[in-house]
Amino acid sequence: MFIKDVCKECKLTKKAVEYYEEQGLISPAVEDNGYRNYSDDDVAALKEISVLRKLGISVGDIKDILASNNKRAALAKCKYKADLEVEKSLAKKKCLEQLMKDYDIDQTAAYVEDNIEKHFTIKERLLQAFPGVYGMYLCLHFGQFLDGQIDTDEKQEAYNKIIDYLDGIQKIEFPKEVEEYLCQFFEQSEQAMEKLNSAIMEAVNNTDEYLERNKQSIDEYLKYRNSDEFKKTPAYEMRQLLSQFLQENGYYDIFVENMKILSNSYREYFDKLQAANRIFMDKYPQVK
């Protein structure tokens, strides 16, 4: 079945079908003329994906569900997250109603601490602790590893150390145009952010294959990154500011080490990242 018929059958746009293929959720056969031929399994998977996306399940979780031999168990994790969101929303609604009656901030603060904050993900806690561009930057880079909650004393201690570290370091002064660039990047659609995170994880998990398949793009990027044109962009300025920040502060000793305790997924990612970086440096020794 070709894409036009697939879109009609699955009630999806062409861009959606192409995106799910890019994410590795389906693998249609490619004919000699370059056209994709979608199998019955591909169509069934797309229908499944469409339903799960409408239920608010992320592409990452859908990938786990499709690969699982026990779909009910995989879905149970998603339901648990949804239950927490419902419970948190109900607590917020009740809190707002009470606040509208008496506007007692002290009483409300106690209620929030006892009934709402306990449902916050680590990412939500970070955004509360660091509002503005600083918190957005942290969540942009680490948010995919921080959807869990602080459920052990060890994690709480690690989180406290991270907060103390981030709160104690010298503030990074982003120029106005860099802040605007960062805000625009952070506010991209969920789909665009998932695509970016997925590309990073693919490069880390299958480094040799990724480098070979994207050799031309990587060569062009490295050429651009070393150009005078790139050095005039907000992206370059942000890179320089952050590079200096990492060199002058105990980023790896404090932040990274405690992130490994706070998030198992980040610890696994960091180990894979180190291995991927060694492979990359072997292939591109000109990169510092």
Side-chain angles (χ1 to χ4, degrees):
M1 187 181 294
F2 294 108
I3 193 165
K4 181 179 179 181
D5 298 317
V6 170
C7 292
K8 184 177 181 180
E9 176 76 15
C10 301
K11 298 180 181 178
L12 291 169
T13 64
K14 179 181 175 182
K15 287 288 188 294
V17 173
E18 291 172 344
Y19 172 72
Y20 296 137
E21 182 185 348
E22 289 173 3
Q23 300 307 302
L25 300 181
I26 56 171
S27 301
V30 181
E31 305 290 342
D32 293 337
N33 58 10
Y35 287 101
R36 281 162 168 71
N37 194 343
Y38 296 83
S39 67
D40 291 341
D41 287 342
D42 292 325
V43 173
L46 285 168
K47 289 180 178 179
E48 189 175 348
I49 292 164
S50 178
V51 170
L52 296 174
R53 286 296 285 153
K54 288 174 182 176
L55 293 175
I57 299 175
S58 71
V59 169
D61 284 337
I62 290 174
K63 188 176 293 187
D64 292 338
I65 293 169
L66 293 179
S68 176
N69 292 324
N70 188 341
K71 294 183 184 293
R72 290 185 178 182
L75 277 173
K77 296 179 182 179
C78 299
K79 182 180 180 298
Y80 174 71
K81 292 179 183 178
D83 287 342
L84 289 178
E85 285 301 314
V86 169
E87 192 174 342
K88 183 167 63 176
S89 294
L90 290 173
K92 285 181 178 179
K93 180 175 179 292
K94 181 177 179 180
C95 188
L96 284 169
E97 290 171 347
Q98 185 60 44
L99 194 59
M100 287 170 63
K101 290 180 180 178
D102 53 30
Y103 209 78
D104 187 329
I105 293 297
D106 291 335
Q107 179 181 334
T108 302
Y111 182 87
V112 168
E113 184 174 353
D114 293 338
N115 299 279
I116 298 178
E117 284 188 2
K118 65 180 182 180
H119 298 302
F120 282 174
T121 63
I122 301 169
K123 179 167 60 178
E124 289 173 322
R125 288 175 182 270
L126 271 179
L127 283 173
Q128 290 285 333
F130 301 107
V133 69
Y134 190 39
M136 286 192 293
Y137 177 80
L138 291 169
C139 289
L140 175 64
H141 281 270
F142 303 104
Q144 62 179 313
F145 308 109
L146 301 174
D147 285 330
Q149 294 179 306
I150 299 174
D151 50 12
T152 68
D153 291 339
E154 185 182 29
K155 287 184 179 181
Q156 184 64 58
E157 184 179 357
Y159 176 79
N160 291 341
K161 287 180 179 178
I162 287 173
I163 294 299
D164 289 343
Y165 166 74
L166 293 174
D167 206 28
I169 59 178
Q170 184 177 358
K171 182 180 178 182
I172 304 175
E173 295 293 342
F174 290 103
K176 188 176 186 339
E177 63 272 17
V178 175
E179 283 204 16
E180 291 174 353
Y181 167 81
L182 186 58
C183 288
Q184 289 172 2
F185 191 59
F186 185 81
E187 292 170 357
Q188 291 182 81
S189 69
E190 179 187 5
Q191 189 177 89
M193 293 306 299
E194 286 179 347
K195 185 174 181 179
L196 173 63
N197 289 333
S198 179
I200 294 172
M201 295 306 294
E202 181 190 359
V204 168
N205 290 323
N206 305 286
T207 307
D208 286 315
E209 181 183 338
Y210 181 86
L211 293 178
E212 183 63 31
R213 189 171 67 253
N214 295 279
K215 185 178 186 305
Q216 182 177 350
S217 298
I218 293 171
D219 289 340
E220 291 175 355
Y221 167 72
L222 292 177
K223 182 179 179 180
Y224 173 65
R225 201 186 74 165
N226 291 324
S227 69
D228 291 335
E229 179 185 359
F230 176 65
K231 292 177 182 178
K232 297 176 183 178
T233 64
Y236 174 79
E237 190 169 0
M238 185 171 70
R239 179 191 295 272
Q240 295 301 102
L241 286 168
L242 294 171
S243 177
Q244 181 180 354
F245 160 77
L246 294 178
Q247 291 173 9
E248 294 176 352
N249 295 275
Y251 173 77
Y252 291 102
D253 294 336
I254 302 174
F255 181 80
V256 168
E257 289 305 312
N258 282 287
M259 274 288 292
K260 291 178 185 178
I261 297 172
L262 194 60
S263 169
N264 291 332
S265 60
Y266 178 78
R267 184 179 66 252
E268 293 171 1
Y269 163 79
F270 183 81
D271 291 341
K272 290 180 180 179
L273 182 63
Q274 295 296 89
N277 188 58
R278 288 192 290 270
I279 295 172
F280 181 78
M281 294 299 289
D282 286 343
K283 291 183 179 292
Y284 296 93
Q286 72 271 29
V287 179
K288 294 183 180 180

